[in-house]
Amino acid sequence: INHVQSQVKAIHTCMLVPPSINTTGNTVQTNFLNGKPVDGFAQAMDVQSFSYEYNIYQEYHQTAPFKALGGGESASCVSDRGYYGNTTDGHIGPDARNLFECIQSSWAGAQLEYVYGNFAWTGYDYMGETAPLRWPDVSSHFGIHDLAGFPKDGVGYYKAWWKEWKDGECAGDEHGEISVSISPNDWTSFDVGQPVNVVVCTCADNVRLLVNGKEQAPDGANNTVPLYGFVRFSGVAFERGNITAVASLHGAKTITKSIATASKPSTLAVSAEDLFQHHNGSTLVADGKRVQNTMFNLNITPRSRCCIDH
């Protein structure tokens, strides 16, 4: 380890060399598993990190307060953008794996002044590591964004507590704007009367939820937004129209987010690009081996509201 460290610093003199320890066997194992967090391996590192073991931070800091400390792989919280069903359909909704509770637990390090933070695994979905699904699924589901770069529902949490919470205050983004996000971000793909679990993320003090002007009851005792938390409204009966979250800050500033039921599309046009058809003058064969770029155009009735965000 010392040799590797010296080789790194010979090239990059300012580089700190961290390990990533995970007691479930994901990455490097050390004697920390035997209750010895300051073994030779850990001492050799400039920075100590733990993957997914958020409850270890305090224990390690008490033993080695001189060592920089934080999370390695963290927040592998799975979900699929725009999907709110169950995993039997080949996709993962936010309720299936408690998306927001998962993100919140990884955020524990943000509350400790001696922790540098966590590395969320991952910023984007990628091809491979399909857990908890299997073939024919070929993509991961850990990403904060999907394969195309579109934000999933968990982005609202990170925006509130990573970007807009500053020095113990809900200060907003670089323009002073405070966000309010609603999950699901689709108020269309449900049956009338179907119970929908709704989560609102914001760093504001409290938040109310209304469906067509009718206030909904939160799961907790009141509408207060907990520090590094969110407000959940379980079993909200779906109605076509508008779902609105109204957040307030210091009893004065009000921030509103509203999602409307989308209109039905009128036509769906599908066309194949000819990027691969020019090869040897032949037509692409549907043999299960070749791929084809395809363009989808969704048309709606004029003056109606388009489908869903993204």
Side-chain angles (χ1 to χ4, degrees), residues 41 81 116 120 127 159 164-166 178 186 210 222 245 284 286 292-293 296:
F41 179 86
R81 179 180 62 86
Y116 60 70
M127 304 301 284
K159 191 172 184 180
E164 299 174 2
W165 182 259
K166 305 169 185 175
I178 297 171
D186 163 19
L210 303 96
N222 53 53
L284 190 70
Q292 173 66 57
N293 289 347
F296 290 85

Side-chain angles (χ1 to χ4, degrees), residues 22-300:
N22 177 263
T23 60
T24 60
N26 184 12
T27 49
V28 180
Q29 298 281 345
T30 76
N31 290 336
F32 185 79
L33 302 181
N34 299 320
K36 299 177 181 178
V38 191
D39 64 354
F41 179 86
Q43 288 282 27
M45 298 295 103
D46 299 308
V47 178
Q48 184 63 61
S49 64
F50 294 95
S51 294
Y52 308 111
E53 300 294 338
Y54 318 122
N55 59 332
I56 286 178
Y57 297 167
Q58 289 181 304
E59 180 183 353
Y60 183 85
H61 179 69
Q62 290 173 357
T63 307
F66 51 85
K67 186 76 71 173
L69 166 67
E73 277 190 27
S74 306
S76 289
C77 305
V78 294
S79 70
D80 288 321
R81 179 180 62 86
Y83 181 80
Y84 302 100
N86 55 57
T87 54
T88 59
D89 298 325
H91 300 282
I92 305 171
D95 289 338
R97 293 296 177 110
N98 298 317
L99 172 66
F100 293 96
E101 287 80 1
C102 175
I103 298 174
Q104 183 183 29
S105 68
S106 74
W107 209 251
Q111 303 178 56
L112 304 173
E113 62 180 9
Y114 50 82
V115 171
Y116 60 70
N118 293 327
F119 289 96
W121 187 265
T122 53
Y124 295 85
D125 284 340
Y126 53 93
M127 304 301 284
E129 288 199 285
T130 62
L133 304 182
R134 294 293 182 266
W135 177 262
D137 187 25
V138 295
S139 171
S140 74
H141 304 267
F142 308 119
I144 300 173
H145 299 76
D146 70 5
L147 283 172
F150 291 121
K152 300 183 187 180
D153 287 21
V155 162
Y157 182 96
Y158 289 108
K159 191 172 184 180
W161 296 113
W162 181 68
K163 187 174 184 180
E164 299 174 2
W165 182 259
K166 305 169 185 175
D167 300 322
E169 291 287 340
C170 186
D173 60 15
E174 61 272 20
H175 305 293
E177 298 294 327
I178 297 171
S179 66
V180 176
S181 67
I182 302 174
S183 173
N185 69 355
D186 163 19
W187 198 241
T188 301
S189 306
F190 304 99
D191 297 324
V192 174
Q194 178 181 343
V196 181
N197 294 329
V198 179
V199 170
V200 180
C201 293
T202 181
C203 63
D205 299 330
N206 59 74
V207 64
R208 299 162 52 229
L209 185 73
L210 303 96
V211 175
N212 294 331
K214 294 176 288 188
E215 187 153 356
Q216 307 297 309
D219 287 8
N222 53 53
N223 298 75
T224 301
V225 180
L227 180 64
Y228 303 118
F230 49 87
V231 179
R232 181 181 289 276
F233 301 82
S234 297
V236 176
F238 174 75
E239 296 179 11
R240 295 184 64 83
N242 294 277
I243 183 171
T244 303
V246 181
S248 63
L249 183 64
H250 307 318
K253 187 172 183 176
T254 300
I255 312 100
T256 301
K257 167 73 174 183
S258 187
I259 301 174
T261 302
S263 304
K264 291 184 178 180
S266 56
T267 60
L268 179 65
V270 183
S271 60
E273 297 181 12
D274 61 353
L275 296 179
F276 299 99
Q277 294 184 8
H278 68 278
H279 183 65
N280 294 328
S282 62
T283 300
L284 190 70
V285 179
D287 58 2
K289 298 179 181 179
R290 295 170 175 81
V291 296
Q292 173 66 57
N293 289 347
T294 306
M295 178 72 71
F296 290 85
N297 290 314
L298 182 64
N299 301 312
I300 60 173

